[in-house]
Amino acid sequence: MGDAETTRNNRAGGGVRRVLGLLIAVLAVALVPATAELLRHRLPHRLPMHWNSANVVDATSSLTNSVTGYTIGAAAGAVLAAVGVLPLGLRWRLRRWLITVGAAVAGFVAGIWLTMVSLSVDVLDPLQTPAPSWHIPVLLVGVTGWTVLAYLVCGSPPGHQAATGRPAADLPRTPMRAGDAGWTERAAVSRHGLWLLAPLLLLAGLLAVWMNVWVASPVLLAMALLAMLLVNRLTIDQQGIHIGFGPWGWPRVTVPAREIAGAVETTVRVSEWGGWGYRLHPDMRGRGLITRSGPGIRVELSDGRYFVASTRDPRTAAGLVNTVADLADR
């Protein structure tokens, strides 16, 4: 497959799936006026807009204005998703992220609307509307599921072309027997990276004290997810390089063996990548699993791309990657 054909596939692949992703965002927009019409006779003439720290409503809006505002907010997400569908010559991965983020925005706005409506049903005085409690984590989980659905609907990305040739003979090799399960190194971000959690912990504490634990729950959930992603495993087997996150090794990122041109030892610098974790390099060509500054490997890939990973045993890892590339079908 030539460079032009690869680029064409990256930009054009999965048109029907992208439309389905857009429909998910549009469905979130439609939920706002649909539920307003369905529950119109059970809602007060004005709806709550905000609760103060004492969990008392301190701002309201008319039903018409509320429906209009939430619909416009959700529609902004749908417009973003639509950009990912239009024939604008964008790359496939950028299209998927536009659709996913657009669906997330639309779903989040619609979720807030549904939360507020559920609290307002059969309430005569909008100022007496109860404040959200368990509704907040439910909203967060629901929006996360909505976002994941939009991401998955877009499907798998088109493959890159295979690397040409084999790794140079002077690059290290580590023997690998047929049927070998491969090599795995588990790691966590260094203690310096854990300072990323400190601001979230402080924010969660302040929200829990000043408001309530339910308001702090989204921050606590974000902390738990971030802490999980700071733990990872790097696996090299005959299929390629795999990066798994969290205790279950999911989500999982794979670099296929056919795309590997060769690997060498290198020195990883966190400052060069702008932080810890699974990173995209500022030059937009490189991706990296950065857990600390120090020894690592650099893997050259097809289409001018590369992958960098921190590892405690870079010579073994680079040798295995080169052996895998030697054995790969191209």
Side-chain angles (χ1 to χ4, degrees):
M1 183 183 294
D3 291 342
E5 186 178 353
T6 299
T7 300
R8 209 161 38 242
N9 287 342
N10 281 335
R11 291 178 177 175
V16 174
R17 284 181 170 273
R18 291 199 301 269
V19 172
L20 290 176
L22 172 60
L23 290 178
I24 290 175
V26 172
L27 178 59
V29 179
L31 283 174
V32 177
T35 52
E37 185 60 31
L38 181 65
L39 299 172
R40 180 176 296 274
H41 300 296
R42 299 183 60 188
L43 295 173
H45 63 287
R46 296 183 70 81
L47 297 177
M49 291 180 60
H50 183 263
W51 287 263
N52 60 26
S53 58
N55 293 328
V56 175
V57 175
D58 58 6
T60 63
S61 175
S62 69
L63 178 60
T64 299
N65 287 343
S66 295
V67 172
T68 301
Y70 280 101
T71 301
I72 291 174
V79 169
L80 185 63
V83 174
V85 176
L86 295 175
L88 301 177
L90 304 177
R91 289 190 173 274
W92 189 93
R93 286 175 174 79
L94 177 57
R95 289 180 179 276
R96 180 173 62 181
W97 281 111
L98 287 170
I99 293 169
T100 301
V101 173
V105 171
F108 182 69
V109 174
I112 295 177
W113 161 261
L114 293 175
T115 300
M116 184 266 296
V117 166
S118 68
L119 293 167
S120 301
V121 169
D122 297 329
V123 173
L124 298 179
D125 182 0
L127 295 178
Q128 301 302 315
T129 305
S133 55
W134 55 265
H135 308 79
I136 296 176
V138 169
L139 166 66
L140 197 62
V141 171
V143 172
T144 300
W146 195 263
T147 304
V148 171
L149 177 62
Y151 182 88
L152 295 177
V153 160
C154 291
S156 301
H160 290 273
Q161 68 174 358
T164 57
R166 304 290 176 179
D170 59 346
L171 293 180
R173 301 294 198 280
T174 301
M176 176 179 287
R177 298 184 299 272
D180 195 329
W183 173 90
T184 296
E185 180 179 282
R186 291 174 174 80
V189 170
S190 67
R191 62 181 182 275
H192 302 292
L194 295 178
W195 282 105
L196 293 170
L197 300 178
L200 290 176
L201 181 61
L202 176 61
L203 177 59
L206 292 175
L207 290 174
V209 171
W210 288 349
M211 303 188 73
N212 58 61
V213 70
W214 295 109
V215 175
S217 60
V219 181
L220 294 173
L221 181 58
M223 279 185 59
L225 291 174
L226 182 57
M228 184 181 73
L229 292 176
L230 292 180
V231 178
N232 58 75
R233 64 185 71 176
L234 176 67
T235 299
I236 303 170
D237 61 21
Q238 294 185 13
Q239 283 68 52
I241 305 170
H242 313 279
I243 306 98
F245 299 92
W248 302 283
W250 192 91
R252 184 179 173 95
V253 178
T254 294
V255 179
R258 65 187 295 272
E259 298 177 10
I260 297 174
V264 296
E265 298 178 50
T266 190
T267 299
V268 177
R269 295 180 177 83
V270 172
S271 59
E272 180 183 343
W273 291 85
W276 297 268
Y278 187 68
R279 314 290 298 181
L280 175 66
H281 196 274
D283 65 12
M284 304 303 290
R285 295 187 302 109
R287 294 181 182 274
L289 180 63
I290 311 301
T291 57
R292 61 181 57 81
S293 293
I297 60 172
R298 177 184 171 108
V299 183
E300 300 297 336
L301 305 173
S302 59
D303 300 331
R305 300 170 296 127
Y306 62 91
F307 170 75
V308 171
S310 303
T311 174
R312 294 184 292 273
D313 190 358
R315 184 164 185 81
T316 296
L320 283 170
V321 170
N322 291 322
T323 299
V324 166
D326 285 335
L327 302 173
D329 294 331
R330 303 214 186 252

